[in-house]
Amino acid sequence: QVQLVESGGGLVQAGGSLRLSCAASGGTFSWLTMGWFRMAPGKERAFVSAISWNDGSTLYADSVKGRFTISRDNAKNTVYLQMNSLKAEDTAVYYCAGKGGRPVQGEYEYTYWGRGTQVAVSS
């Protein structure tokens, strides 16, 4: 069973940056496509980004393209989300997720989930 633990959340001013990390254990991380999702107050959980297990291909939600970058370090069993030019609307709990196969946006296709890390952006 794969366990995922997010870290790196916090409070930041609009225009600032944060880097989220998600550490995996209990499975073969290098075989997992990894994704980031977020849930803003009063809203449903939404796709942010994903990175494939094999060729490093990535997907981004339109709302974060050009501002967020997903990456992974298989030697460290960790996936990252670099968030730049943060906006108040980026405030949410950010979740890390893992699945087999190619990157997709649908949350129900992800098998493994972390508990989330809070990001708050002040305007």
Side-chain angles (χ1 to χ4, degrees):
Q1 185 74 2
V2 175
Q3 290 85 43
L4 303 174
V5 179
E6 303 93 337
S7 61
L11 175 63
V12 63
Q13 289 187 333
S17 298
L18 280 175
R19 188 177 81 156
L20 305 184
S21 300
C22 171
S25 62
T28 307
F29 176 78
S30 59
W31 292 357
L32 291 177
T33 281
M34 299 300 297
W36 287 97
F37 291 77
R38 66 186 181 186
M39 184 179 291
K43 295 187 177 180
E44 296 184 350
R45 189 156 56 188
F47 173 79
V48 175
S49 183
I51 185 166
S52 74
W53 67 276
N54 58 344
D55 63 3
S57 60
T58 57
L59 283 178
Y60 292 96
D62 288 343
S63 58
V64 306
K65 280 181 182 176
R67 300 188 299 122
F68 291 11
T69 302
I70 191 171
S71 62
R72 65 190 297 159
D73 184 338
N74 287 344
K76 295 182 178 180
N77 288 353
T78 301
V79 62
Y80 304 97
L81 186 68
Q82 178 67 44
M83 306 186 296
N84 298 330
S85 303
L86 283 161
K87 306 175 182 179
E89 51 263 44
D90 295 317
T91 294
V93 177
Y94 283 72
Y95 298 89
C96 172
K99 67 181 292 291
R102 61 184 180 87
V104 295
Q105 296 192 18
E107 65 171 304
Y108 296 107
E109 297 201 37
Y110 287 78
T111 305
Y112 308 106
W113 290 87
R115 294 189 174 186
T117 185
Q118 176 72 53
V119 171
V121 183
S122 63
S123 57

CSV table of all heavy atoms in Angstrom, one decimal, residues 52-97:
chain,number,residue,atom,x,y,z
A,52,SER,N,3.8,12.0,-15.6
A,52,SER,CA,3.8,10.6,-15.9
A,52,SER,C,4.9,9.9,-15.2
A,52,SER,O,5.9,10.4,-14.7
A,52,SER,CB,3.9,10.4,-17.4
A,52,SER,OG,5.2,10.6,-17.8
A,53,TRP,N,4.8,8.5,-15.1
A,53,TRP,CA,5.8,7.7,-14.4
A,53,TRP,C,6.9,7.4,-15.3
A,53,TRP,O,8.0,7.1,-14.8
A,53,TRP,CB,5.1,6.4,-14.0
A,53,TRP,CG,4.7,5.5,-15.1
A,53,TRP,CD1,3.6,5.6,-15.9
A,53,TRP,CD2,5.5,4.5,-15.7
A,53,TRP,NE1,3.6,4.6,-16.9
A,53,TRP,CE2,4.7,3.9,-16.8
A,53,TRP,CE3,6.7,3.9,-15.4
A,53,TRP,CZ2,5.2,2.9,-17.6
A,53,TRP,CZ3,7.2,2.9,-16.2
A,53,TRP,CH2,6.4,2.4,-17.3
A,54,ASN,N,6.8,7.5,-16.7
A,54,ASN,CA,7.8,7.0,-17.5
A,54,ASN,C,8.5,8.0,-18.4
A,54,ASN,O,9.8,8.1,-18.4
A,54,ASN,CB,7.3,5.9,-18.4
A,54,ASN,CG,6.1,6.4,-19.3
A,54,ASN,OD1,5.5,7.4,-19.0
A,54,ASN,ND2,5.8,5.6,-20.3
A,55,ASP,N,7.8,8.9,-19.0
A,55,ASP,CA,8.5,9.8,-20.0
A,55,ASP,C,8.5,11.3,-19.5
A,55,ASP,O,8.9,12.2,-20.2
A,55,ASP,CB,7.8,9.8,-21.3
A,55,ASP,CG,6.3,10.2,-21.3
A,55,ASP,OD1,5.9,10.6,-20.3
A,55,ASP,OD2,5.7,10.1,-22.4
A,56,GLY,N,8.0,11.5,-18.2
A,56,GLY,CA,8.0,12.8,-17.7
A,56,GLY,C,7.0,13.8,-18.3
A,56,GLY,O,7.1,15.0,-18.0
A,57,SER,N,6.1,13.3,-19.1
A,57,SER,CA,5.1,14.2,-19.7
A,57,SER,C,4.2,14.7,-18.6
A,57,SER,O,4.0,14.1,-17.5
A,57,SER,CB,4.2,13.5,-20.7
A,57,SER,OG,3.6,12.3,-20.2
A,58,THR,N,3.7,16.0,-18.8
A,58,THR,CA,2.9,16.7,-17.8
A,58,THR,C,1.6,17.2,-18.3
A,58,THR,O,1.4,17.3,-19.5
A,58,THR,CB,3.7,17.8,-17.2
A,58,THR,OG1,4.1,18.7,-18.3
A,58,THR,CG2,5.0,17.4,-16.5
A,59,LEU,N,0.7,17.4,-17.3
A,59,LEU,CA,-0.6,18.0,-17.6
A,59,LEU,C,-0.8,19.1,-16.6
A,59,LEU,O,-0.3,19.0,-15.4
A,59,LEU,CB,-1.8,17.0,-17.4
A,59,LEU,CG,-2.0,16.0,-18.5
A,59,LEU,CD1,-3.2,15.1,-18.1
A,59,LEU,CD2,-2.3,16.7,-19.8
A,60,TYR,N,-1.4,20.2,-17.0
A,60,TYR,CA,-1.7,21.3,-16.1
A,60,TYR,C,-3.2,21.8,-16.4
A,60,TYR,O,-3.6,21.8,-17.5
A,60,TYR,CB,-0.8,22.5,-16.4
A,60,TYR,CG,0.6,22.2,-16.0
A,60,TYR,CD1,1.6,21.8,-16.9
A,60,TYR,CD2,1.1,22.4,-14.7
A,60,TYR,CE1,2.9,21.6,-16.6
A,60,TYR,CE2,2.4,22.1,-14.3
A,60,TYR,CZ,3.3,21.7,-15.3
A,60,TYR,OH,4.6,21.5,-14.9
A,61,ALA,N,-3.8,22.2,-15.3
A,61,ALA,CA,-5.1,22.9,-15.4
A,61,ALA,C,-4.8,24.3,-16.0
A,61,ALA,O,-3.7,24.9,-15.8
A,61,ALA,CB,-5.7,23.1,-14.0
A,62,ASP,N,-5.7,24.8,-16.8
A,62,ASP,CA,-5.5,26.1,-17.5
A,62,ASP,C,-5.2,27.2,-16.5
A,62,ASP,O,-4.5,28.1,-16.7
A,62,ASP,CB,-6.7,26.4,-18.3
A,62,ASP,CG,-6.9,25.6,-19.5
A,62,ASP,OD1,-5.9,24.9,-19.9
A,62,ASP,OD2,-8.0,25.6,-20.1
A,63,SER,N,-5.8,27.1,-15.3
A,63,SER,CA,-5.7,28.1,-14.3
A,63,SER,C,-4.3,28.3,-13.7
A,63,SER,O,-4.0,29.3,-13.1
A,63,SER,CB,-6.7,27.9,-13.1
A,63,SER,OG,-6.5,26.6,-12.6
A,64,VAL,N,-3.5,27.2,-13.9
A,64,VAL,CA,-2.1,27.3,-13.3
A,64,VAL,C,-1.0,27.3,-14.4
A,64,VAL,O,0.2,27.4,-14.0
A,64,VAL,CB,-1.9,26.2,-12.3
A,64,VAL,CG1,-3.0,26.2,-11.2
A,64,VAL,CG2,-1.8,24.8,-13.0
A,65,LYS,N,-1.4,27.1,-15.6
A,65,LYS,CA,-0.3,27.0,-16.7
A,65,LYS,C,0.5,28.3,-16.7
A,65,LYS,O,0.0,29.4,-16.6
A,65,LYS,CB,-1.0,26.8,-18.0
A,65,LYS,CG,-1.4,25.4,-18.3
A,65,LYS,CD,-2.1,25.3,-19.7
A,65,LYS,CE,-2.5,23.9,-20.0
A,65,LYS,NZ,-3.2,23.8,-21.3
A,66,GLY,N,1.8,28.1,-16.8
A,66,GLY,CA,2.8,29.2,-16.8
A,66,GLY,C,3.1,29.7,-15.4
A,66,GLY,O,4.1,30.5,-15.3
A,67,ARG,N,2.4,29.2,-14.4
A,67,ARG,CA,2.8,29.6,-13.0
A,67,ARG,C,3.2,28.5,-12.1
A,67,ARG,O,4.1,28.7,-11.3
A,67,ARG,CB,1.5,30.3,-12.3
A,67,ARG,CG,1.0,31.5,-13.0
A,67,ARG,CD,-0.1,32.2,-12.2
A,67,ARG,NE,-1.2,31.3,-12.0
A,67,ARG,CZ,-1.7,31.0,-10.8
A,67,ARG,NH1,-1.1,31.5,-9.7
A,67,ARG,NH2,-2.8,30.2,-10.7
A,68,PHE,N,2.7,27.3,-12.3
A,68,PHE,CA,3.0,26.1,-11.5
A,68,PHE,C,3.9,25.1,-12.4
A,68,PHE,O,3.7,25.0,-13.6
A,68,PHE,CB,1.8,25.4,-11.1
A,68,PHE,CG,1.0,26.1,-10.0
A,68,PHE,CD1,1.2,27.4,-9.7
A,68,PHE,CD2,-0.1,25.5,-9.4
A,68,PHE,CE1,0.4,28.1,-8.8
A,68,PHE,CE2,-0.8,26.1,-8.5
A,68,PHE,CZ,-0.6,27.4,-8.1
A,69,THR,N,4.8,24.4,-11.7
A,69,THR,CA,5.6,23.4,-12.4
A,69,THR,C,5.6,22.2,-11.5
A,69,THR,O,6.0,22.3,-10.4
A,69,THR,CB,7.0,23.9,-12.6
A,69,THR,OG1,7.0,25.1,-13.4
A,69,THR,CG2,7.8,22.9,-13.4
A,70,ILE,N,5.3,21.1,-12.1
A,70,ILE,CA,5.4,19.8,-11.4
A,70,ILE,C,6.6,19.1,-11.8
A,70,ILE,O,7.1,19.2,-13.0
A,70,ILE,CB,4.1,18.9,-11.7
A,70,ILE,CG1,4.1,17.7,-10.8
A,70,ILE,CG2,4.1,18.5,-13.2
A,70,ILE,CD1,2.8,16.9,-10.9
A,71,SER,N,7.3,18.4,-10.9
A,71,SER,CA,8.5,17.6,-11.2
A,71,SER,C,8.5,16.5,-10.2
A,71,SER,O,7.8,16.4,-9.2
A,71,SER,CB,9.7,18.5,-11.0
A,71,SER,OG,9.8,19.0,-9.7
A,72,ARG,N,9.4,15.5,-10.5
A,72,ARG,CA,9.6,14.4,-9.6
A,72,ARG,C,11.0,14.0,-9.5
A,72,ARG,O,11.8,14.2,-10.4
A,72,ARG,CB,8.7,13.2,-10.1
A,72,ARG,CG,9.1,12.6,-11.4
A,72,ARG,CD,8.1,11.6,-11.9
A,72,ARG,NE,7.9,10.5,-11.0
A,72,ARG,CZ,6.9,9.7,-11.0
A,72,ARG,NH1,5.8,10.0,-11.8
A,72,ARG,NH2,6.8,8.6,-10.2
A,73,ASP,N,11.3,13.4,-8.4
A,73,ASP,CA,12.7,12.8,-8.1
A,73,ASP,C,12.5,11.4,-7.7
A,73,ASP,O,12.1,11.1,-6.5
A,73,ASP,CB,13.4,13.6,-7.1
A,73,ASP,CG,14.9,13.2,-6.9
A,73,ASP,OD1,15.2,12.0,-7.2
A,73,ASP,OD2,15.6,13.9,-6.4
A,74,ASN,N,12.6,10.4,-8.6
A,74,ASN,CA,12.4,9.0,-8.3
A,74,ASN,C,13.3,8.5,-7.3
A,74,ASN,O,13.0,7.6,-6.5
A,74,ASN,CB,12.4,8.2,-9.6
A,74,ASN,CG,11.1,8.4,-10.4
A,74,ASN,OD1,10.1,9.0,-10.0
A,74,ASN,ND2,11.2,8.0,-11.7
A,75,ALA,N,14.6,9.0,-7.2
A,75,ALA,CA,15.5,8.6,-6.3
A,75,ALA,C,15.1,8.9,-4.8
A,75,ALA,O,15.5,8.2,-3.9
A,75,ALA,CB,16.9,9.2,-6.6
A,76,LYS,N,14.3,10.0,-4.7
A,76,LYS,CA,13.8,10.4,-3.4
A,76,LYS,C,12.4,10.1,-3.2
A,76,LYS,O,11.8,10.4,-2.1
A,76,LYS,CB,14.0,11.9,-3.2
A,76,LYS,CG,15.5,12.4,-3.2
A,76,LYS,CD,15.6,13.9,-3.0
A,76,LYS,CE,17.1,14.3,-3.0
A,76,LYS,NZ,17.2,15.8,-2.8
A,77,ASN,N,11.8,9.4,-4.1
A,77,ASN,CA,10.3,9.0,-4.0
A,77,ASN,C,9.5,10.2,-3.7
A,77,ASN,O,8.6,10.2,-2.9
A,77,ASN,CB,10.1,8.0,-2.9
A,77,ASN,CG,10.6,6.6,-3.3
A,77,ASN,OD1,11.0,6.4,-4.5
A,77,ASN,ND2,10.6,5.7,-2.4
A,78,THR,N,9.7,11.3,-4.4
A,78,THR,CA,9.1,12.6,-4.1
A,78,THR,C,8.6,13.3,-5.4
A,78,THR,O,9.4,13.3,-6.4
A,78,THR,CB,10.0,13.5,-3.3
A,78,THR,OG1,10.4,12.8,-2.1
A,78,THR,CG2,9.3,14.8,-2.9
A,79,VAL,N,7.5,13.9,-5.3
A,79,VAL,CA,7.0,14.7,-6.4
A,79,VAL,C,6.8,16.1,-5.8
A,79,VAL,O,6.5,16.3,-4.6
A,79,VAL,CB,5.6,14.2,-7.0
A,79,VAL,CG1,4.5,14.2,-5.9
A,79,VAL,CG2,5.2,15.0,-8.2
A,80,TYR,N,7.1,17.1,-6.7
A,80,TYR,CA,7.0,18.5,-6.2
A,80,TYR,C,6.0,19.3,-7.0
A,80,TYR,O,5.7,19.0,-8.2
A,80,TYR,CB,8.4,19.2,-6.4
A,80,TYR,CG,9.5,18.4,-5.7
A,80,TYR,CD1,10.3,17.5,-6.4
A,80,TYR,CD2,9.8,18.6,-4.3
A,80,TYR,CE1,11.4,16.8,-5.7
A,80,TYR,CE2,10.8,18.0,-3.7
A,80,TYR,CZ,11.6,17.0,-4.4
A,80,TYR,OH,12.6,16.4,-3.7
A,81,LEU,N,5.6,20.4,-6.4
A,81,LEU,CA,4.8,21.4,-7.2
A,81,LEU,C,5.3,22.8,-6.8
A,81,LEU,O,5.1,23.2,-5.7
A,81,LEU,CB,3.3,21.3,-6.8
A,81,LEU,CG,2.4,22.2,-7.6
A,81,LEU,CD1,2.3,21.7,-9.1
A,81,LEU,CD2,1.0,22.2,-7.0
A,82,GLN,N,6.0,23.3,-7.8
A,82,GLN,CA,6.5,24.7,-7.6
A,82,GLN,C,5.5,25.7,-8.0
A,82,GLN,O,5.0,25.6,-9.2
A,82,GLN,CB,7.8,24.9,-8.5
A,82,GLN,CG,8.4,26.3,-8.4
A,82,GLN,CD,8.9,26.7,-7.0
A,82,GLN,OE1,9.6,25.8,-6.4
A,82,GLN,NE2,8.6,27.8,-6.5
A,83,MET,N,5.1,26.5,-7.1
A,83,MET,CA,4.0,27.5,-7.4
A,83,MET,C,4.5,28.9,-7.3
A,83,MET,O,5.0,29.3,-6.3
A,83,MET,CB,2.9,27.3,-6.3
A,83,MET,CG,2.4,25.8,-6.3
A,83,MET,SD,0.9,25.6,-5.2
A,83,MET,CE,1.6,26.1,-3.6
A,84,ASN,N,4.5,29.6,-8.4
A,84,ASN,CA,4.9,31.0,-8.5
A,84,ASN,C,3.8,31.9,-8.9
A,84,ASN,O,2.7,31.4,-9.3
A,84,ASN,CB,6.0,31.1,-9.6
A,84,ASN,CG,7.2,30.2,-9.3
A,84,ASN,OD1,7.6,30.0,-8.2
A,84,ASN,ND2,7.9,29.8,-10.4
A,85,SER,N,4.0,33.1,-8.6
A,85,SER,CA,3.0,34.2,-8.9
A,85,SER,C,1.6,33.8,-8.3
A,85,SER,O,0.6,33.8,-9.0
A,85,SER,CB,2.8,34.3,-10.5
A,85,SER,OG,4.1,34.7,-11.0
A,86,LEU,N,1.6,33.4,-7.1
A,86,LEU,CA,0.4,32.9,-6.4
A,86,LEU,C,-0.6,34.0,-6.3
A,86,LEU,O,-0.3,35.2,-6.2
A,86,LEU,CB,0.8,32.4,-5.1
A,86,LEU,CG,1.4,31.0,-5.1
A,86,LEU,CD1,2.1,30.7,-3.8
A,86,LEU,CD2,0.3,29.9,-5.4
A,87,LYS,N,-1.9,33.6,-6.4
A,87,LYS,CA,-3.0,34.5,-6.4
A,87,LYS,C,-3.9,34.0,-5.2
A,87,LYS,O,-3.9,32.9,-4.8
A,87,LYS,CB,-3.8,34.4,-7.7
A,87,LYS,CG,-3.0,34.7,-8.9
A,87,LYS,CD,-3.9,34.4,-10.2
A,87,LYS,CE,-3.1,34.6,-11.5
A,87,LYS,NZ,-3.9,34.4,-12.7
A,88,ALA,N,-4.8,35.0,-4.8
A,88,ALA,CA,-5.7,34.6,-3.7
A,88,ALA,C,-6.5,33.4,-4.1
A,88,ALA,O,-6.8,32.6,-3.2
A,88,ALA,CB,-6.6,35.8,-3.4
A,89,GLU,N,-6.9,33.3,-5.3
A,89,GLU,CA,-7.7,32.1,-5.7
A,89,GLU,C,-7.0,30.8,-5.7
A,89,GLU,O,-7.6,29.8,-6.0
A,89,GLU,CB,-8.4,32.4,-7.1
A,89,GLU,CG,-7.4,32.8,-8.2
A,89,GLU,CD,-7.3,34.3,-8.4
A,89,GLU,OE1,-7.3,35.1,-7.3
A,89,GLU,OE2,-7.3,34.8,-9.5
A,90,ASP,N,-5.7,30.8,-5.5
A,90,ASP,CA,-5.0,29.6,-5.3
A,90,ASP,C,-5.1,29.0,-3.9
A,90,ASP,O,-4.6,27.9,-3.6
A,90,ASP,CB,-3.5,29.8,-5.6
A,90,ASP,CG,-3.2,30.1,-7.1
A,90,ASP,OD1,-3.9,29.5,-8.0
A,90,ASP,OD2,-2.4,31.0,-7.3
A,91,THR,N,-5.7,29.8,-3.0
A,91,THR,CA,-5.9,29.3,-1.7
A,91,THR,C,-6.7,28.0,-1.6
A,91,THR,O,-7.8,28.0,-2.2
A,91,THR,CB,-6.6,30.4,-0.8
A,91,THR,OG1,-5.7,31.5,-0.7
A,91,THR,CG2,-7.0,29.9,0.6
A,92,ALA,N,-6.2,27.0,-1.0
A,92,ALA,CA,-6.9,25.7,-1.0
A,92,ALA,C,-6.1,24.7,-0.2
A,92,ALA,O,-4.9,25.0,0.1
A,92,ALA,CB,-7.0,25.1,-2.4
A,93,VAL,N,-6.7,23.5,0.0
A,93,VAL,CA,-5.9,22.4,0.5
A,93,VAL,C,-5.4,21.6,-0.7
A,93,VAL,O,-6.2,21.3,-1.6
A,93,VAL,CB,-6.8,21.5,1.4
A,93,VAL,CG1,-6.0,20.3,1.8
A,93,VAL,CG2,-7.3,22.2,2.6
A,94,TYR,N,-4.1,21.4,-0.7
A,94,TYR,CA,-3.5,20.7,-1.9
A,94,TYR,C,-3.3,19.3,-1.6
A,94,TYR,O,-2.6,19.0,-0.5
A,94,TYR,CB,-2.2,21.4,-2.3
A,94,TYR,CG,-2.5,22.7,-3.1
A,94,TYR,CD1,-3.0,23.8,-2.4
A,94,TYR,CD2,-2.3,22.8,-4.4
A,94,TYR,CE1,-3.3,25.0,-3.1
A,94,TYR,CE2,-2.5,23.9,-5.1
A,94,TYR,CZ,-3.0,25.0,-4.5
A,94,TYR,OH,-3.3,26.2,-5.2
A,95,TYR,N,-3.7,18.4,-2.4
A,95,TYR,CA,-3.6,16.9,-2.3
A,95,TYR,C,-2.7,16.3,-3.3
A,95,TYR,O,-2.8,16.7,-4.5
A,95,TYR,CB,-4.9,16.3,-2.3
A,95,TYR,CG,-5.9,16.7,-1.3
A,95,TYR,CD1,-6.8,17.8,-1.5
A,95,TYR,CD2,-6.0,16.0,-0.1
A,95,TYR,CE1,-7.7,18.2,-0.6
A,95,TYR,CE2,-6.9,16.4,0.9
A,95,TYR,CZ,-7.7,17.5,0.6
A,95,TYR,OH,-8.6,17.9,1.6
A,96,CYS,N,-1.9,15.4,-2.9
A,96,CYS,CA,-1.0,14.6,-3.8
A,96,CYS,C,-1.8,13.3,-4.0
A,96,CYS,O,-2.4,12.7,-3.1
A,96,CYS,CB,0.3,14.4,-3.1
A,96,CYS,SG,1.4,13.2,-3.9
A,97,ALA,N,-1.7,12.8,-5.3
A,97,ALA,CA,-2.3,11.5,-5.6
A,97,ALA,C,-1.5,10.7,-6.6
A,97,ALA,O,-0.7,11.3,-7.3
A,97,ALA,CB,-3.7,11.8,-6.2
